Amino acid sequence: MFRTALRNVLAHKGRLLMTVLAVMLGTAFVAATLVFSDTFGNALRTQSSKSYTDIAVAVSDREASNLSYQHGDRAVDSPTLTEETRTKVAALPGAAEARGVVSGFAGIADKKGALIGNGFSTTGTNYVPGADGTDPRYPLVEGRGPKDATEIALDARTADKSGFKVGDTIRVAVNGPVMKLKLTGTVNTNDPRVVAGGSLAAFDTATAQQLYLSPGRFAELDVKAKPGADDSALLAAVKQAVPQGDNIEAKTGRELADEQDRMIKQGTQVLSTALLGFAGIALFVGIFIIANTFTMLVAQRTKELALLRAVGATRRQITRSVLIEALLVGLTASVTGLLAGIGIAVGLKALLNGPFDANLPDGPLIVAPSTVIAAIVVGVLVTVLAAWLPARRASRIAPVAAMSSAEQPPTHKGLVVRNTIGSLFSLAGAVALAAGVGTKEVKLVGVGAGALLIGVFVLTPLLSRPLIALFAPLLRALYGTPGKLAQENAVRNPRRTAATASALTIGVTLITSLTVIGASVNQAMDKVTASDFKADYTVAMENISPLSPEVAAQIAKAPGVSVMSTERDMAVKTGQNGEDFESITAVDAATIDQLATVKVKEGSADALKQGKLLVSSGRAEKAGYKVGDTLTVTYPDGAKGSLTVGGILEANIALAPVVAPEAVVGPHAAPGSGVDKVLVKGVNGPTEELKQALRDATGGNPLIAVKGAKEIKAENSRIITNILNLMYGLLGMSVVIAVLGVVNTMAMSVFERRREIGMLRAIGLDRLGIRRMIRLESVLIALFGGLVGVGLGVLAAWAAVRTMPSSLKVVTVVPPVQTVGFLLAAAVIGLLAALWPAHRASKLDILDSIKSQ
């Protein structure tokens, strides 16, 4: 039977080509994902490990590390790492030196004043020169390191990319006005944030401390060991030398490197899992093609299988023969897909480092044994499992019945069982979907949508006849006999039509649901931005860190400003023992109602002016807050107090879940902390003059963004569009595989119907009519898949939208242009997929076709 299977594969290699391609593409997706994530992760770990090469022990002040990037409290009661501590640690036996580290965000403006990179990868740090005037952590490329508050050094890549040269004046900002500093040198760095495309600004230590913490304070001490010193013993000595406190933590460099490795592995695993999800979709689509192909091959070989049964082959042997064919096909496709996936991974890295300038770290290509095994096993398993039902069907064909007919119609019992199973799945899915919508339970909606999708797939043979019949009058009116024949051919074998259309349905369903959700969220964001925000402009940091305290005062003095309010986020401890936390946002009680829509469901709209809290309805429901409730709180400065709930807000994205008056809670903010946002209303509304005045008031800081309603809407739309485009690209593979399925079905159908096509030619249907018939049949199948996909996609999107928070005020929006576009795209796919099969059918010789068996 193995020789028989091998002979069948070689004899039908042309008809198996599309199946091989489908499996190959899906396997290539899997292999490329695994190879790329392994290669990228290994390069990141190697790059990261260089940061700890010379660090035997690292002592960190976790509070200071947070403050460095939040620019908040500069004077705290907790233990700190000072110059005195650094000197003490450096003098320990076994310690060669101790480096004090300060770091935070530092925005660098290009020559046009725009921020270089994004706000989250703009790194600032301190330059620590040794006896020779150089810092071994940041080797000089050109010039020298900074020596005072008027100087700065940049990483060489940022300087080259921006056209800066040593001696130029660079505009740099932290969270306040821009500083104009002299570029004294450029450096190299292996900081992963910089290597990944960020920027590095190096200040002298005193300046960095002043900008990020307070004079003489460090966020971290990196201890280098003397040759032969034991890291564990040095760690124990360092722990005794540094201040004791919950915020002070000491670890060996090896421990830090291992932690970094774990974080990188987790990050790459998340990326790999997401990509493998889309690879799974592609392989799932391939299952329909594989099953369809082997079903048609079995139908076309019924006489051959009958002869095998007649000469003594058992049902098990027939099943085994078909499965061996699938195994050979899957193995060939998987190996080819593995090689293609490795090539894709190499090309993807080159593409990201080239046109996209992603600056991925260099490293060897990693093709792990697990990747090879996974790619081959997945491809083979998918192929064999998809061929299992056709193999079982082949083994059940009675020899006499098989030799008397080219293809046995499905039994009435089989159709009843299939329709019953499909109906049960659909009913269960609909019930779960409705329950998920009612309870706003996302997981339940996902389960319901999945069950409904499976149920509809099982029922597609039943649905194909009535849906395809909708096009019958149009086809007959426009195309006459070819149109009528195309419609009849499309419903002749409902199972085959359903399997072919279902592959396309999956892609259309996902794309439609993503599009509807995107359009719904986009419209909701536009509406709530227009309705909830009354402010003309918002001023905030690009990296979401707080603004410098003096920025608000500068904005208040800007020409054209009519009304303004700061927003200050503050975490307070609640309860008698401070066991819980509540995040509150302080605003100006006198002006906030002019800058944001304040609608209360319960309580007083003037609660803030009365010194009380306003709580959103969602937060009140979750925490159990009611009007009149009193919260015992401990503020960041350690003071205790009480806050009363004065009103329950309607859903509003312009206001935080818990809003408090600045006059009440502001004095208890951590000393030196800034504000998170400033809302501004102009005398003459949102004008370019006001916008420029706000930019000038913030000192032209490239890290500070001044945004009006138009910019906020554009930014929201851009984010949603980018996400959708990424999803479309990842789903593109499944659509390509679906197209291969249509091509495969039509090509094999032409081979199967050679005698019929010959008879049609003999009675007068010309070549153009044959081509038109095949093309229209393909278009009908594709449109059927598109219609089902659009319907399922809209339903799934509606359910997903209904689970979203009420504060977003999202309603389902079905964009008509895109929806019609998907159906037209399905029709075009069907048309293109039929070009080769239609051309092949029209070229068949009439007499040879009529004589074919």
Side-chain angles (χ1 to χ4, degrees):
M1 297 307 292
F2 178 82
R3 289 197 299 270
T4 301
L6 181 60
R7 178 185 60 78
N8 286 330
V9 170
L10 296 175
H12 302 110
K13 53 183 178 291
R15 278 173 271 177
L16 289 168
L17 176 62
M18 295 301 172
T19 300
V20 171
L21 285 175
V23 179
M24 185 201 75
L25 289 175
T27 306
F29 202 154
V30 173
T33 297
L34 295 175
V35 171
F36 179 76
S37 59
D38 287 345
T39 300
F40 179 53
N42 179 72
L44 273 181
R45 289 192 295 273
T46 301
Q47 186 73 49
S48 176
S49 66
K50 294 179 182 178
S51 302
Y52 301 101
T53 302
D54 295 328
I55 300 177
V57 176
V59 185
S60 62
D61 179 349
R62 288 178 293 185
E63 186 178 69
S65 297
N66 292 332
L67 295 173
S68 296
Y69 287 92
Q70 293 297 321
H71 309 295
D73 177 16
R74 310 264 177 96
V76 295
D77 296 327
S78 304
T80 60
L81 301 176
T82 63
E83 177 61 26
E84 180 183 354
T85 308
R86 189 198 69 78
T87 304
K88 185 178 180 181
V89 170
L92 290 172
E97 63 176 271
R99 177 192 180 97
V101 179
V102 184
S103 61
F105 292 119
I108 304 168
D110 61 19
K111 293 186 176 182
K112 296 181 180 179
L115 178 67
I116 296 175
N118 64 69
F120 296 95
S121 60
T122 54
T123 306
T125 190
N126 60 318
Y127 188 85
V128 185
D132 60 353
T134 64
D135 186 343
R137 178 168 292 187
Y138 303 111
L140 283 169
V141 176
E142 187 179 1
R144 62 171 175 82
K147 294 182 178 180
D148 56 41
T150 66
E151 298 178 342
I152 191 174
L154 296 180
D155 67 282
R157 178 182 171 277
T158 298
D160 291 342
K161 187 175 180 180
S162 306
F164 293 136
K165 300 184 183 304
V166 172
D168 287 351
T169 297
I170 308 298
R171 300 175 72 246
V172 185
V174 179
N175 66 334
V178 166
M179 301 174 289
K180 295 182 180 180
L181 307 177
K182 181 182 178 180
L183 180 63
T184 62
T186 59
V187 300
N188 280 330
T189 177
N190 55 21
D191 188 319
R193 291 167 297 184
V194 181
V195 173
S199 61
L200 176 73
F203 307 93
D204 70 285
T205 297
T207 301
Q209 289 173 329
Q210 183 65 42
L211 290 172
Y212 298 119
L213 291 171
S214 57
R217 185 178 180 188
F218 296 107
E220 184 177 315
L221 297 179
D222 294 339
V223 185
K224 183 178 180 180
K226 291 179 179 178
D230 181 68
D231 289 356
S232 299
L234 182 57
L235 174 63
V238 168
K239 286 183 176 179
Q240 294 297 320
V242 299
Q244 304 301 305
D246 293 338
N247 61 309
I248 304 295
E249 184 178 43
K251 293 184 178 180
T252 64
R254 182 69 266 165
E255 289 175 327
L256 293 174
D258 290 343
E259 286 181 6
Q260 191 72 18
D261 277 356
R262 285 193 293 271
M263 291 175 62
I264 291 173
K265 285 179 181 178
Q266 289 174 357
T268 53
Q269 187 174 10
V270 170
L271 172 66
S272 177
T273 302
L275 292 176
L276 286 175
F278 287 95
I281 293 171
L283 286 168
F284 184 63
V285 171
I287 287 175
F288 292 93
I289 299 174
I290 299 164
N292 215 17
T293 299
F294 278 94
T295 297
M296 296 177 75
L297 283 175
V298 167
Q300 293 168 11
R301 287 161 39 199
T302 48
K303 289 189 176 182
E304 175 189 330
L305 295 172
L307 287 173
L308 288 173
R309 290 293 310 280
V311 297
T314 64
R315 288 186 173 183
R316 180 174 297 179
Q317 287 177 311
I318 295 295
T319 302
R320 190 182 303 151
S321 174
V322 177
L323 291 179
I324 290 173
E325 291 180 44
L327 176 66
L328 294 172
V329 170
L331 188 60
T332 302
S334 298
V335 172
T336 308
L338 173 63
L339 297 176
I342 295 172
I344 291 171
V346 173
L348 180 60
K349 183 179 178 181
L351 180 67
L352 291 174
N353 278 336
F356 290 97
D357 196 25
N359 292 292
L360 300 182
D362 291 329
L365 185 70
I366 304 297
V367 184
S370 58
T371 297
V372 176
I373 294 172
I376 293 177
V377 168
V378 166
V380 170
L381 276 180
V382 166
T383 309
V384 171
L385 289 176
W388 182 72
L389 282 177
R392 293 261 300 174
R393 197 173 295 126
S395 69
R396 292 179 178 179
I397 299 175
V400 175
M403 286 188 286
S404 64
S405 174
E407 182 177 356
Q408 297 301 309
T411 62
H412 177 71
K413 179 182 177 181
L415 291 175
V416 169
V417 171
R418 177 174 183 143
N419 292 339
T420 301
I421 293 173
S423 299
L424 291 174
F425 264 100
S426 299
L427 179 61
V431 170
L433 204 66
V437 169
T439 59
K440 291 187 178 294
E441 182 59 50
V442 178
K443 291 183 180 179
L444 193 56
V445 167
V447 171
L452 184 61
L453 188 65
I454 293 172
V456 171
F457 282 164
V458 177
L459 288 174
T460 41
L462 183 66
L463 299 173
S464 63
R465 288 184 180 276
L467 288 179
I468 290 178
L470 295 175
F471 300 97
L474 180 63
L475 290 174
R476 293 178 184 179
L478 294 177
Y479 301 106
T481 299
K484 178 181 179 181
L485 291 172
Q487 185 261 333
E488 292 177 350
N489 288 335
V491 296
R492 176 189 296 183
N493 191 323
R495 283 185 174 179
R496 182 182 303 171
T497 297
T500 306
S502 294
L504 188 60
T505 296
I506 297 171
V508 175
T509 298
L510 294 173
I511 290 173
T512 301
S513 61
L514 288 172
T515 302
V516 172
I517 292 172
S520 303
V521 172
N522 202 23
Q523 185 189 78
M525 294 303 293
D526 285 350
K527 285 185 176 180
V528 296
T529 299
S531 63
D532 293 351
F533 280 98
K534 293 182 180 179
D536 294 326
Y537 292 103
T538 64
V539 183
M541 296 286 286
E542 288 277 16
N543 52 28
I544 321 179
S545 60
L547 292 160
S548 174
E550 59 266 22
V551 169
Q554 293 168 342
I555 290 175
K557 298 175 184 177
V561 173
S562 172
V563 179
M564 65 160 283
S565 173
T566 59
E567 287 191 2
R568 183 201 305 268
D569 294 335
M570 183 187 302
V572 297
K573 296 179 181 179
T574 59
Q576 294 296 329
N577 300 319
E579 64 276 8
D580 297 319
F581 284 88
E582 183 63 81
S583 178
I584 62 177
T585 298
V587 299
D588 188 335
T591 60
I592 190 62
D593 58 348
Q594 301 177 58
L595 299 163
T597 301
V598 180
K599 291 183 179 179
V600 296
K601 298 175 67 174
E602 301 176 40
S604 172
D606 293 327
L608 292 175
K609 296 177 183 178
Q610 298 166 4
K612 299 179 181 179
L613 298 176
L614 284 177
V615 181
S616 69
S617 55
R619 179 58 187 157
E621 182 179 350
K622 185 176 181 180
Y625 294 149
K626 297 179 181 178
V627 174
D629 285 354
T630 299
L631 281 68
T632 301
V633 301
T634 302
Y635 294 106
D637 67 349
K640 297 184 180 295
S642 61
L643 296 171
T644 302
V645 177
I648 305 299
L649 281 170
E650 289 187 5
N652 188 321
I653 67 164
L655 295 173
V658 181
V659 186
E662 170 70 22
V664 174
V665 303
H668 300 296
S673 62
V675 298
D676 294 271
K677 186 185 295 183
V678 180
L679 304 179
V680 178
K681 196 172 186 64
V683 175
N684 300 315
T687 63
E688 283 301 317
E689 290 78 11
L690 175 59
K691 189 174 184 180
Q692 187 58 50
L694 294 175
R695 288 199 185 105
D696 294 340
T698 60
N701 187 333
L703 272 174
I704 297 178
V706 180
K707 299 177 183 178
K710 184 186 297 184
E711 288 87 356
I712 294 174
K713 290 179 181 179
E715 184 176 309
N716 292 334
S717 178
R718 183 170 62 252
I719 292 172
I720 293 171
T721 301
N722 289 340
I723 293 173
L724 288 178
N725 288 340
L726 176 63
M727 295 294 186
Y728 292 158
L730 293 172
L731 288 172
M733 185 68 75
S734 62
V735 176
V736 171
I737 294 175
V739 173
L740 294 178
V742 179
V743 175
N744 193 44
T745 299
M746 298 312 301
M748 295 185 71
S749 180
V750 166
F751 177 84
E752 191 177 71
R753 302 200 311 247
R754 284 180 301 168
R755 176 181 290 182
E756 176 186 319
I757 292 172
M759 292 295 294
L760 289 172
R761 289 291 312 284
I763 61 175
L765 191 62
D766 58 11
R767 294 180 185 272
L768 177 61
I770 294 294
R771 288 198 296 269
R772 182 170 292 168
M773 177 186 71
I774 299 297
R775 290 198 295 261
L776 290 174
E777 180 183 349
S778 179
V779 169
L780 281 174
I781 293 174
L783 273 176
F784 169 57
L787 279 172
V788 175
V790 167
L792 286 173
V794 171
L795 180 61
W798 168 81
V801 165
R802 292 295 298 271
T803 64
M804 293 182 181
S806 57
S807 60
L808 295 179
K809 303 175 184 177
V810 184
V811 295
T812 305
V813 176
V814 181
V817 175
Q818 288 95 321
T819 304
V820 174
F822 295 150
L823 293 176
L824 291 177
V828 171
I829 286 172
L831 181 62
L832 295 176
L835 291 180
W836 175 63
H839 176 76
R840 181 184 177 192
S842 67
K843 293 296 183 180
L844 291 176
D845 182 86
I846 297 177
L847 295 179
D848 287 344
S849 299
I850 293 175
K851 290 188 296 181
S852 65
Q853 297 297 321

